[in-house]
Structure formats: C-alpha cells, structure tokens
C-alpha cells in the first residue's frame, strides 16, 4: 500500500468518476457568472484564479524541480509592468501587452536562471530574492520607463476586438472572470502535460539529486531553465492579468518580496509538487484571508449568539479581530507547517489512508 | 576626499551593527541549515526590549544589553524548542515558511501591544559626535562598533576553540553523527538559536539609540542579514563580519557616488557578483 | 581501436596530486579492473573521465573524441556513464521512476522508457520492488538500482565504482554474474573499481593499479597478482 | 438616525503606522456623531496596504454590505484602485488623506477628496520660504515612495518657476539606518534650502544626522508627514526652527480643532496627526450627509457636491478647479517649531508667531 | 552486558524488525550477518536510539536504554561507527577526531588517543589538516573508525567497518578489532565480509528479513550449510 500511495504523486490515468466530476466542476465554473450576479463573489473567484495561476506556475520550478525560488515577484512584476507600460504609455492593447509581458518574463527568467542556477540550495533561494529585489529597485528608480514609485494608473482599458468585432469591453467583471478561468485551466493543463512527460521526470530527478541527474544525461542548466521559463511565462501572465484587472501597479504591490512569499505559501499550504496542490492552497487561502480580513469571524460569532455585539467580549472582538487577522494568519501558517507538513492535500491523503486501513 | 572618508567611516561603523545581525543568522543557518526569515523580527523584539528598559526603567541602551542578551537568548531558545526543532528534518521551503509565519506572529503581536507607532529612543548622546579632522564620527555608532567587535571575537573563540563550540559546528554538519559522538544535538540547536537570537537582539539594542522602532521594521533587516551572510559565506562568522562591513560601506559609498535611490541596487549587484564568482561566499568553503 | 584512451591525466587538489600522469587505454567490449589502496585516486579518475572535474593535465579520449572537461550529461549522451561510490538514489521517486530517468536519456517516450526500465530492473533483480520509494532501499539494493539506472541509459561504456561494496559474497556473486552477462551480450565496455580481489580477478581482462595517484602497474590479473610492487602496496602477502 | 458607512484603511501591513491615526480619528468621529444623534454603523475593512485587497473591500462594501458611502482608503495606491469601483457601483467615496493628484483628476463623479493633494505641500512651503528670505538653491531629500516622489516632482516644477536652482536630488528608501553619506553629499553642495519629505522616524533620523555632520542651510523645509508630528517637535535639539507644511494643526483657529486635539489625546494617549484630523472630518461629513440623505447613495453624492462645512479642517467644499473634480481646495498651513512647539507662521491670516529665518545654527 | 528482547521496529508503516532477541556479553565479539536489507543497520540504530522501537526492551548493564536519548547512550559507553561513515565534512581530520572525545570522561585521554589512532592509521596523520569531506571513501572509513576509538567505548558497534577498504586494510581492520577486544572492549560487529567476521567472532547471529533465524558460535555458523550457501556463495 505504502508504495502505491507513494506513487499517487504520479497519477497515471484517471478514473471515470473523477473525469465526470471534473467535467461537472468545469461546467459549473463556466456557468458561474450566469448564475451568480454578485460582483463581490466574482471578484473573489478572480482572486482565486489569480492565486491558482501563481501557485501552479511556481510549482513547476519549486515543487517539481526543487528550485525554491522566493523571487517570483520578478516575473509577476515583469508581466504587470510590460503590459501597463505598453498600454498606458504606448497605447498598445493589453492583449498584446500580455504577450510582450511573456517575452520580457522569458528574458528575465533566462538572465536570472543563468545567474542563479549556478547556485544550489539556500544560496539559490537567497539569490532569487536578490534578483527580484533588484527588479523592484530598478522599477523604483527607472522613472522614465516605469514612472517610479508613483506607479502606473490605467486610465482606460481598450476593448478587446478581434477582426473588428468587439469581444468584450472589460466594463464588468465577467470578462475578467473568464480570462482568469481560462489561464488557470491552461496552467493546470500545462502542469499536467509536464508531469506526464520526459520533462516531469527530469525535473523531479533534478529535485532529488542534481549530481546524479547530471550523470544520467540531464543537462542541468537547460532543464532548470526550461522549468523556470515555463514558470515565468505563467507567473507573468498572472501579473499582466492582475495589472489590467486592478488598473494600478507600483513597485511595492507587484514586485515586493511579499508577493514571492505569497506564491510559495499557496503551494505549500495546498501541497507541493502535485497538480492540485496549488488549487487546494488557493481554495483555502483566498477565502480564509478574505474572511479574516473583513472580520467575518466576529460577525459569525455574533450571529450564532456566542457573544453579544454590545458585551465587553463583543466590543473586543469587533475592535481587535480586524486588526488581528495578520496575526491569526501567521498562526495558521505555523500550525499548517507543523501539523500538515505535506500541505492540506497531503494531510487529507494521510487521513483517508488511515481510515482505509 | 572628506566626503569619501566621511562616508567610508560611517559605512564601516554601521557595517559593524550589520555584521552582528549577519553573525546571528549565520550561526542559526550553520547549525540548523534553516534560513531564518524571522531574523529581523527577532531583532525588532530586541529593540522593543531596549526601548522598554529605557523608557520604563531608565536603563541606558548600551548598559541594557546585559539584560537583553540573556532575555533574547531565552526567547530564541524557546522558539527553537517549541517550533524550529520540529521542522529540522522537513523540506527547506517548509522551514522558510515556518520562520515567515513566526515573523508574522512576532510583528503582529508587537503591533497589538505597542500599536504600530514609531518609537524613538532619545538619549543624551543620540546625535552627538566627535571629530577627527573634518570627519565627524557618531558616538553611539562608535561605541556599538566596539561592542560588536568584542562580541565577534568572543564568539569566534568560542566556536573554534571550545568543545561546546566545536560540538555546535559538528551538529551543523551531521546531526546523526554528532549524536553518535555523545553530543546532545537538541541542546546544541537550542544553544545556537539562542545565540542567534541574542545576537540579533543585541544588534537591535545597539542600533536603538540612533534608530527607530516599529513592529514591521524586521523585514528590511532580514533581507540585509541574508545579503551579509551569503556574501561572507554562510556559516562563517568571520565572513559575516566582513560581509557586514562591506555592505555598510557599499551602501554608504553607493549613496554618495551613485545616488541614494540606487544604493540598494549596488548592494544587491555586489551580492550577485560575489555569488557568481565565489558561489560559497567570500569565506565559505566551496563544497563538491 | 581503443574506445577509451587516458593520456597523461593529472589532477591536483591544491598541492595534492590525486592523479598524476596516468595513461592507459581500453579496447571495446573489455572489462578493465581499476584497483589501488584507499586514496589512490580511483574515484578521482572516474570524476576526471566523466566530466565532474576537468583534468588538470592530460587528455581523455572516448570513442575518438576528446572529453576534457565536457559536462557529465554530454558524456552520458556520448555513451559513457558512471555509478557513484556513495550511492545517489532519487529518494522520493519510485525504483521504476529512477530507472526511467536513465532510460529517458535515449528516448522521449515514457512508454518506451518504462519498458526499458522494467527490463533493466529484471536484469538486476529488483523488478519486484519497482514501486518502492528508492530512498527506502537498503544499501545493497541501492547499489543494484544504480546499476539498473546506468544500464537504462544504454551506454557504450560503464564505469562502476565499488558496486559490490556492502554486499555479502553471495550477493556480490550476483553482480559479478551481471557484469559478465553484460560483457557477454557485447557492446558495452566496463571499467570496474573494486576492493574485492576475488571478484576483480574473475571479471577483469586487464587491471590497472593506482597508487598515490600514479599508475603502479597494468596487466592481466595473473601479472598483477605476481607483481611485487602491487603485492606490497595493495594486496598484502596473502594473495 | 442610523446610517451605514464603510471604512477602508490600512490597519495592518507596512502602512499601518499611519493607518492607525486614521482609525483613531474615525473612532472619535463615531462618538461625536452619536452625540449629534447619528448612529454611524461602521463597516471596517483592512486593505493591508494592497490595492487588490482594497478592491475586495470596496466590492464587498458596495455590493454585500450596502453602505451609503465609504471613507478611505489611506494610501494613494489603494485610493486609486478603489475610486474606479466607486464610480462603477455608484457609491460615494470620500478620500481623507491620500495625496496623489490623479485621484481627483479623472473626472470621477463619485469620488471626493478632503485633503490638499501633493502639489500643495510644496507650493505652500516654497511660498513661505521665498516670503521670508531670498533662497537661490535647494536640495531635495525624500523617501522614494509615491508620496515622496510626487511631492518633490511638483516641488521641482514650482521652484523652477520661482528661479530657485536644484542642487541635489536624493530619493532614499525608507528605513535605512544611515543617511550620513547622503547628507554629507548634500552638505558639499551648500544649498540654501533643504527640503525633506519623510515620515516621522526618518525625519528625526535625518535631522539627527544633519546635526551630526553639521549641515546648515538657510532653512530646513519638511514636507508634511513626519515633520508635523509632536514626536518630532519633542526632539528639541534637532527640530527647532524646522519649517513644515501640514493639512492641520492643533493651534489653528478652525472650529473645534483645539478641542479635537484635547479629546483625542485624552482618548488615545497621544497627539493627533493631521491624518487623524482629516479622517475625523471626512467621517463627520460623510455620515452627516448620508444620514440627511437617509442612506440613499445618489442623494448622498448630491449632498457632498452641494454641501459646505466648517469644522476642524476649516471650510470644506468640494469643487471642480484646475483639472480637479470634487476636490476640497484645502488651505495648507506652514508651521515652525519654536522651543519644541509648533507655531503656525504662514499664511499670515492663520499665523500665531513670526517665523525665525534664516536657520540660526545647531546648539 | 547488552540485552535485546522482542525488539520490533517499523519505518512508517513498513515493518523491518520482528521480535529480535540478541545478547552481547562482556568481553565478546558478536557478529551479525544477514543479506541486504535484513535489518542489521536498523538494529544498531535502535541500540544507539537514533530511531525509536515500536516495542521491546533494550538493556545495557541493567540500564533501560529505551529511556535514553542518543547522546545519553553514548555516555553509557556504547559507541557506534555508523554505516556510510558520517564524517563531519567541513571539519578537519583532527577536529573530527576531537569530536570523538567530546564526552567529558574522555577528554583527558584525548592526546593519548589521537596518538594511538594516528599510529593505527598513518594516512590520517599525514592528512590531519584536510577537510573530512574531501577524503577518499576509504580514508573516510578509517577516520570514522578512528573517531569511534577516540571515545573509550565499553561496547563498540561497528557497521560494516571494512566497507570500501583496500584488502591490506581489511585484514588490518580485523586485526584491530581483535586487538581492541583483547584490551577489554566488547564488540558488536555488522559485516558483509562474512568469512572474516565470523572467524574472529565469539558468537554470531544471522538476520533474515528482520528476524533472527540462526545463532551460535562464529565457528559453528561458518560451517553451517545455510550460511555457506546464502552468504559465502559456496
Ligand atoms: N576535493 C578534494 N579536495 C582535496 N583532496 C581531495 C579531494 N577529492 C579527493 N581528494 C584526495 O585525493 C585522493 C584520491 O581520492 P579518491 O577519492 O580518488 O580515492 P580512491 O582511490 O577512490 O579511494 P577509495 O578506494 O578510498 O575510494 C585522496 O587522498 C583524497 O583525500
Ligand atoms: N529511512 C528508511 N525509510 C524506510 N525504510 C527504510 C529506511 N532505512 C531502511 N529501510 C528499510 O529497512 C530495511 C532494513 O534496512 P537496514 O538498513 O537495516 O538493512 P541492513 O541489514 O543494514 O542492510 P545492508 O546490508 O544493505 O546495510 C530495508 O528493507 C530497508 O528498505
Ligand atoms: C506619509 C503621507 C502623508 C502619505 C500621503 N498621505 C499619501 O498619500 O500616501
Ligand atoms: Mg573511491
Ligand atoms: Mg546496513
């Protein structure tokens, strides 16, 4: 049993049940905006897609290839800035900006890769942080290009047209919802393809033992760079998407260490090196941080009558829980790492396995 | 020339404090192989301690390190015992996230207690200086530089020459083998993290009279500590010392001869260059 | 034609000459034994040949091409692959996946690679453990896994570094048979480092003896056991 | 009357130190509203300083919570992101303290701003300085944040008009412990004016180190923020004679200002900053307008547009001028620290003391 | 001296030791042989408390080992030279040896012990300043054994000490083992060199897939048909 379970990470073939389930979920996701009108719900879903894309792309280089980059903000920022600079200062529609963003992210990833991949382990981690910081500082200082600390504000998003017909004008959230959904599905599909190909095997071999992999004919720098490039492309897409959606970027919001950490967190909470890990991670993190932040917990407590809003406890909760969410968040991170070292997915697997026995 | 000397000297002096932060991180990394992302936050706790000693009991910051060191040691030891020890065998990214989580808890707890106000600790000598020729040297920085130097020497002697020090290094290199030599590795880890925390706390204390304190201050210094340790060679105390001074000087000269905005870029580029040409850091032993 | 020529190879670590002026050559399909006292420079020579260190001096010529300092992965692609004295399994991958990684060196298809891997696992007798995590294997089986993995790269030349270390005589016998079978099937030249003299004597056509980095002797097994210098430096009087 | 108002503010994260002042100001406003019979039901949203989170907050307030109006966010980045949503959902948004000019320059109908934008910071100070002496050169030292950069950008345009030459331009990143080398460089240029934009901690650090290395211009100008805090004024050794601009002071003769300061101090144990005052007044205006409109958003918006207030921020009126829409043309004040106390010295009609110029030197 | 009763152990949910009974008496050399993966190293790890057993008792001179941490076991006088050498890679040969006499009780003999092991392994003396990690495989093995000897053990656990050593040295190692045994150190030896190790053993155990299947004097096992067939390849 143990060996079989060990292999779950390399699932081959899917059961009919899971295929049906998958189709139903997919259909549900595509119909969601038709059924749910609330822009707030759509917004949360969009954040969820964004987070999935980011986590999934980190997973390729971090989870499969074992290169724990804590500098993915670099690619996120590359995508965001390219798209915004082109759109705002050169009037190039974001559609092309996204593609240009990918190109820029690829170049950045090659540069970063050629520098950082010569390093291993903790040195790589720190070098990746350093490069992302350099990017942030450059965005800060290259005022003519990036508008520096003032950031770039999108005045209008030009409508997306194909052959003269307007596909969408970006006025509501629905187009963003679908763009996010499609990119997220694309990212997951690419991860699936990678895992079930030579690349996946090579990536994992590199993760386990670089020297051994090297001796078995794996060109370390090529394959690490491929992993990073794939990862960078999708992270950059996430960045472009973010920029267009939010309409404003500045160095601290798209190039900060914070973002890099967030990306890693998504994977680890969900389960690293697995296809669904980042999805699960986003599923947990996005609603959770939203609930914590907007003090839904205290409201819930009042609703079920655990404490009255006017009581001392109530006032304390109202006053402090909103401030405390970052604290609670930190505690959650610590608890997950200590008690679910393989992420939520790994934990669930362990539980179900125990029951099965 | 005056400008050059002035910035060189202030760079060296501030580099001393950086070195102390770097040494703490290097020891923790050396023994636990854990990159401590909460290092700056630990330093921040040290700063608040100093601040409280000063504002509540009137203890001079430089004197208060006699209290801060043991207290921070204890704090680090407890952290190690309750949290870090549990993830020593875990994946590196889990360790990273654990320390990030701990850092979040520390900074937000402090925010709860002290609000996020900037606290400023003003001593009679906070902005006093003396002159050598045309160059002015800040008293508090000069004193903290001397204290740093003394601590560094002591620590070097401890790790290289005493059995306990060697046992800490042995634990760093192979925990299982160290156990088989009769070394209590848990104690060594606790000792190491305690020392790391004490050093970070001391750095916080030393910088308090000339700097300011708020709950989110940690991250800047965590980043700096990383750069310093890698520059010097992770696990090397002498390396961290040199790294600290180099960073101090690079920042200082970068600000004058390039621009304040680009000075951090100078630091990071320097960092990458060292990594490229000497991947194990200036004093690190390259491994095969 | 010689498939591998080592010409005046030296490797220095600081002042220490781990290899100094070593020369010999190997014919296609043969098995060469490489022996010598501990620290004689055997593993270092492997490292120099397969690209982990560029030799400080001298040339390594494989299949007519100069390898000096060529990256290990290219060396592997050319058909030369080594095992590790200190085994290096890909711990969190299954035994089968470990071997597949080797097989993928020659094919892009997972299906083909899987077939090759199963085949090689059978060859070393690990097929019943193909679903185990490689990290949980005991040392002896890890050594077998190393062999299966390099075989899966379909090499022209194998460099085996103490693959019998840690095996008892009965298990060593299996590996000896394996090495002889490989030779039988033809097409693969083998260089074997081993301290087990019985084994070395049985499998090698020729033996090179290193001592303090220098080549002390070269010859047939008989010549080697009767070489006074070798007996003194390495074998001891009993042999 | 009951009225539901949303608050978006940076309560945690890197912006929290200032965000807290806004929180406090709003809490005080809530109390005062109660006294006026308005029960302001506040929905607090923390944006953690991140625009996308601020957007989440705005979405939620507009669509789930059904608030009548929103006060906030604090930072310019967040306010920018949120302003478009306010327009889309037709929710009145009153920005209390963000300085970026663009926020009210996009012709948005639903977005109002109480404080004076970045261009005013520089203009008021330079006017005061040129009124007092004849400075020829100026050096800029500022944090390389949105606030710092945009303030200095407008300042540079303004000094160019006045014929003052820029001799040093030094943006720095917040939080470094050592500005000595930057200051040494500035000192070598011997500027008549040194203009700094920083928050309180860096302000104190910069002035301490200026004293250390003996930088001595005709005047130190502080661009609001950190230079207008009591904490700064308390550092007498270094803060005396610094001129700074601010949105609000506790000695200004705007109705209720002094009283606000007193009650704030009693409640929170510290001196109010202008951020607190801005937030307080913004909440007062928003809640009263919304209450009068019975929580109707359209009527609230119309109320803001039409209304006129005179409270602790002086006269408030949201007007369209010089490319701005719904912008309160707020009068910035210039103060000077004299013996550890802020004295309003400019414009003349609010002045309580005469300014000391030039800077007499370090003690 | 050392008594193991009904020791059971699993790695996660893979059970590798089943009811192991094993005894080492004062002054003996006891050898454990067994094929790959039989659980020999795991047994030694249990004694050194590097892993914790599922059930069973381990006593040493009457002390219950299951109550101790690894380092406390060492303090009792049980020292293991582990499989895979486990040299401190970034410490010099001399520093490695120094760690061998980390225990307070042995620090006094440090100088003498260093001289002794340098006498046994002159190569180590030549390389006293070389970093452990850069030594060759066999050199590291020597260092590991030497480091173990620095500890003044009462009971020495040796896990495949001849692994990777040249023939001359292998012979020498077995001589050393007999020699130190004569000096009063009790020895528990795990070896693949079945022939040599059974020859010097007073008693021996045969492990197969985690169970003790045979035990007796070294001589008796050497002549046992099963042993001959399974391990000696005869
Ligand atoms: N990176 C290095 N730095 C310094 N010395 C080294 C390094 N690598 C190997 N050596 C030294 O070079 C010599 C040859 O080592 P090598 O590993 O080739 O020996 P070997 O013949 O394989 O021995 P063994 O049979 O013990 O494995 C040894 O003395 C070793 O200490
Ligand atoms: N860390 C581990 N995780 C999982 N299983 C392990 C681990 N270490 C050993 N095992 C398993 O435990 C069993 C016993 O291993 P052990 O190392 O004790 O064998 P051994 O008798 O020492 O073999 P060898 O002669 O190869 O050293 C083996 O089947 C092995 O697969
Ligand atoms: C420091 C500040 C006064 C900031 C300024 N209010 C802003 O727009 O961000
Ligand atoms: Mg070798
Ligand atoms: Mg073993």
């Amino acid at each position: 049993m143990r060996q079989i379970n060990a292999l779950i990470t390399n699932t081959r073939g899917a059961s009919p049940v899971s295929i049906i389930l998958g189709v139903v979920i997919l259909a549900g996701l595509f119909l969601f905006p038709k059924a749910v009108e609330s822009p707030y719900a759509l917004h949360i879903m969009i954040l969820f897609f964004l987070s999935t894309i980011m986590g999934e792309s980190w997973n390729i280089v971090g989870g499969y290839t074992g290169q724990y980059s804590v500098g993915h903000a670099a690619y996120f920022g590359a995508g965001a800035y390219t798209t915004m600079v082109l759109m705002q200062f050169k009037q190039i529609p974001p559609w092309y900006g996204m593609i240009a963003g990918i190109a820029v992210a690829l170049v950045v990833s090659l540069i970063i890769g050629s520098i950082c991949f010569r390093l291993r382990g903790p040195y790589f981690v720190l070098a990746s942080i350093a490069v992302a910081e350099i990017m942030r500082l450059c965005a800060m200082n290259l005022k003519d290009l990036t508008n520096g600390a003032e950031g770039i504000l999108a005045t209008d998003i030009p409508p997306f047209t194909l052959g003269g017909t307007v596909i969408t004008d970006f006025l509501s959230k629905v187009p963003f919802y679908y763009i996010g959904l499609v990119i997220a599905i694309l990212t997951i599909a690419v991860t699936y393809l990678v895992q079930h190909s030579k690349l996946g095997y090579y990536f994992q071999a590199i993760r386990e033992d670089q020297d051994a992999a090297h001796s078995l004919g794996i060109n370390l720098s090529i394959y690490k760079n491929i992993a990073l490039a794939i990862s960078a492309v999708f992270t950059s897409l996430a960045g472009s998407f973010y920029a267009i959606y939010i309409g404003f970027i500045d160095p601290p919001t798209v190039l900060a260490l914070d973002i890099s950490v967030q990306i890693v967190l998504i994977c680890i909470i969900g389960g690293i090196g697995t296809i669904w890990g980042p999805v699960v991670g986003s599923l947990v993190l996005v609603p959770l941080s939203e609930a914590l932040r907007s003090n839904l917990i205290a409201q819930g407590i009042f609703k079920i009558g655990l404490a009255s809003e006017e009581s001392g406890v109530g006032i304390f909760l109202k006053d402090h829980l909103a401030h405390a969410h970052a604290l609670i968040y930190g505690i959650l991170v610590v608890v997950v790492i200590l008690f679910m070292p393989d992420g939520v997915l790994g934990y669930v697997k362990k539980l179900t396995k125990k029951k099965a026995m | 020339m005056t400008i050059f000397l002035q910035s060189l000297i202030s760079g060296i002096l501030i580099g001393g404090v950086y070195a102390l932060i770097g040494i703490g991180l290097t020891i923790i990394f050396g023994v636990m192989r854990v990159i401590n992302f909460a290092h700056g936050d630990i330093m921040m706790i040290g700063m608040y301690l100093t601040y409280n000693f000063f504002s509540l009991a009137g203890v001079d910051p430089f004197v208060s390190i006699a209290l801060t060191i043991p207290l921070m040691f204890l704090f680090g030891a407890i952290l190690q015992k309750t949290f870090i020890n549990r993830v020593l065998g875990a994946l590196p990214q889990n360790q990273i996230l654990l320390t990030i989580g701990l850092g979040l808890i520390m900074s937000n707890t402090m925010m709860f207690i002290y609000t996020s106000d900037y606290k400023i600790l003003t001593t009679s000598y906070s902005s006093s200086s003396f002159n050598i020729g045309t160059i002015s040297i800040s008293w508090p920085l000069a004193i903290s530089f001397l204290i740093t130097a003394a601590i560094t020497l002591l620590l070097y002697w401890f790790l290289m020459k005493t059995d306990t020090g060697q046992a800490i290094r042995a634990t760093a290199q192979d925990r299982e083998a160290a156990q088989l030599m009769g070394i209590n590795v848990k104690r060594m880890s606790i000792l190491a993290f305690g020392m790391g925390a004490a050093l970070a706390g001391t750095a916080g204390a030393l910088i308090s009279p000339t700097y300011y304190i708020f709950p989110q201050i940690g991250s800047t210094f965590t980043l700096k500590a990383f750069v310093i340790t890698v520059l010097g060679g992770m696990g090397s105390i002498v390396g961290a010392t040199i790294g600290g001074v180099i960073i101090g000087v690079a920042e200082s000269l970068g600000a004058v001869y390039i621009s304040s905005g680009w000075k951090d870029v100078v630091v990071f580029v320097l960092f990458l260059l060292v990594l490229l040409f000497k991947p194990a850091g200036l004093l690190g032993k390259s491994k095969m | 034609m010689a498939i591998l020529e080592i010409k005046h190879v030296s490797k220095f670590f600081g002042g220490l000459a781990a290899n100094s002026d070593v020369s010999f050559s190997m014919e296609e399909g043969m098995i060469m034994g490489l022996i010598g006292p501990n620290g004689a420079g055997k593993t270092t020579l492997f490292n120099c040949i397969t690209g982990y260190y560029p030799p400080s001096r001298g040339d390594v010529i494989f299949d007519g091409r100069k390898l000096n300092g060529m990256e290990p992965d290219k060396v592997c692609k050319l058909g030369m692959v080594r095992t590790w004295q200190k085994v290096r399994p890909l711990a969190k991958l299954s035994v089968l996946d470990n071997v597949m990684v080797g097989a993928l060196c020659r094919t892009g298809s997972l299906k083909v690679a899987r077939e090759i891997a199963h085949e090689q696992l059978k060859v070393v007798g690990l097929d019943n453990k193909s679903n185990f995590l490689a990290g949980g294997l005991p040392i002896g089986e890890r050594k077998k896994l190393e062999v299966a993995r390099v075989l899966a790269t379909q090499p022209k030349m194998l460099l085996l570094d103490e693959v019998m270390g840690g095996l008892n005589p009965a298990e060593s016998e299996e590996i000896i048979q394996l090495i002889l079978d490989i030779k039988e099937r033809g097409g693969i030249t083998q260089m074997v480092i081993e301290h087990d003299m019985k084994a070395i004597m049985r499998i090698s056509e020729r033996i090179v003896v290193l001592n303090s980095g220098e080549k002390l002797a070269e010859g047939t097994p008989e010549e080697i056991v009767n070489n006074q210098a070798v007996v003194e430096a390495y074998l001891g009087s009993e042999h | 009357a009951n009225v539901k108002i949303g608050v978006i503010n940076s309560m945690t994260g890197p912006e929290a130190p200032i965000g807290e002042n806004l929180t406090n100001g709003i809490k005080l406003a809530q109390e005062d509203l109660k006294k006026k019979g308005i029960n302001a039901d506040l929905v607090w949203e923390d944006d953690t300083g991140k625009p996308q989170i601020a957007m989440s907050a705005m979405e939620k307030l507009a669509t789930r919570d059904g608030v009548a109006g929103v006060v906030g966010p604090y930072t310019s980045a967040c306010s920018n992101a949120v302003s478009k949503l306010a327009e889309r959902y037709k929710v009145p948004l009153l920005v209390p303290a963000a300085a970026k000019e663009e926020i009210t320059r996009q012709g948005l109908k639903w977005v109002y701003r109480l404080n004076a934008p970045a261009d005013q910071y520089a203009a008021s100070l330079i006017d005061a300085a040129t009124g007092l002496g004849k400075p020829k050169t100026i050096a800029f030292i500022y944090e390389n944040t949105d606030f710092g950069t945009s303030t200095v950008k407008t300042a540079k345009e303004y000094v160019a008009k006045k014929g003052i030459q820029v001799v040093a331009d030094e943006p720095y990143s917040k939080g470094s412990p050592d500005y000595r080398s930057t200051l040494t460089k500035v000192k070598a240029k011997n500027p008549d004016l040194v203009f700094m934009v920083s928050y309180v901690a860096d302000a104190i650090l910069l002035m301490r180190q200026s004293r250390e290395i003996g930088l001595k211009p005709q005047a130190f100008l502080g661009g609001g923020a950190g230079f207008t805090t009591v904490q700064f004024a308390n550092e007498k050794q270094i803060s005396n004679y610094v001129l700074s601009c601010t949105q609000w002071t506790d000695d200004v003769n705007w109705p209720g200002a002094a009283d606000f300061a007193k009650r704030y101090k009693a409640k929170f144990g510290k001196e109010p900053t202008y951020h607190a005052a801005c937030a307080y007044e913004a909440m007062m205006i928003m809640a009263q307008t919304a209450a009068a409109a019975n929580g109707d958003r359209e009527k609230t918006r119309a109320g803001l547009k039409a209304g006129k207030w005179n409270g602790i921020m002086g006269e408030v009126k949201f007007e369209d001028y010089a490319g701005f829409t719904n912008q309160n043309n707020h009068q910035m004040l210039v103060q000077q620290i004299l013996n550890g106390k802020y004295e309003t010295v400019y414009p003349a009609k609010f002045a309580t003391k005469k300014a000391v110029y030039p800077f007499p030197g370090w003690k | 001296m050392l008594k193991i009763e009904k020791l059971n152990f699993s790695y996660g949910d893979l059970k590798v030791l089943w009811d192991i009974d094993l005894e080492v008496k004062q002054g003996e050399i006891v050898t454990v042989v067994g094929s790959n993966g039989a659980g020999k190293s795991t047994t030694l790890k249990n004694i050194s408390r590097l892993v914790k057993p599922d059930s069973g008792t381990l006593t040493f001179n009457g002390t219950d080992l299951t109550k101790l941490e690894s380092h406390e076991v060492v303090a009792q006088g049980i020292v293991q030279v582990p499989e895979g050498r486990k040299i401190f890679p970034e410490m010099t040969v001399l520093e490695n040896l120094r760690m061998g006499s980390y225990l307070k009780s042995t620090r006094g003999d440090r100088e003498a012990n260093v001289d002794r092991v340098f006498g046994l392994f002159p190569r180590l003396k030549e390389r006293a300043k070389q970093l452990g990690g850069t030594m060759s495989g066999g050199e590291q093995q020597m260092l590991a054994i030497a480091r173990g000897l620095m500890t003044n053990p009462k009971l020495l656990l040796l896990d495949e000490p001849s692994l990777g050593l040249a023939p001359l040295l292998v012979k020498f190692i077995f001589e050393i083992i007999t020699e130190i045994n004569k000096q009063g150190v009790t020895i528990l030896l795990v070896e693949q060199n079945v022939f040599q190790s059974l020859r010097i053993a007073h008693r021996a155990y045969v492990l197969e897939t985690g169970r003790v299947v045979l035990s007796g004097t070294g001589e008796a096992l050497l002549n046992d048909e099963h042993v001959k067939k399974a391990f000696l390849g005869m």
Side-chain angles (χ1 to χ4, degrees), chain C residues 139, chain E residues 40-41 83 159-160:
Chain C
I139 180 119
Chain E
K40 307 178 295 292
S41 302
E83 186 179 65
D159 198 347
E160 308 202 10

Side-chain angles (χ1 to χ4, degrees), chain A residues 2, chain C residues 129 132-133 135-142 166-168 171, chain E residues 9-12 14-17 34-45 83 159-160 190-192 207 210:
Chain A
R2 186 181 69 103
Chain C
K129 294 215 166 167
F132 277 66
L133 285 188
L137 291 183
I139 180 119
E141 287 176 351
R142 290 186 193 195
L167 300 187
N168 66 38
E171 291 162 334
Chain E
F9 176 81
S10 359
Y11 284 107
L14 177 75
K15 185 153 180 182
V16 297
L17 295 183
S35 47
N36 259 277
K40 307 178 295 292
S41 302
T42 307
T43 307
L44 294 194
K45 280 187 189 162
E83 186 179 65
D159 198 347
E160 308 202 10
V190 167
E191 253 303 333
Q192 292 294 9
L207 275 190

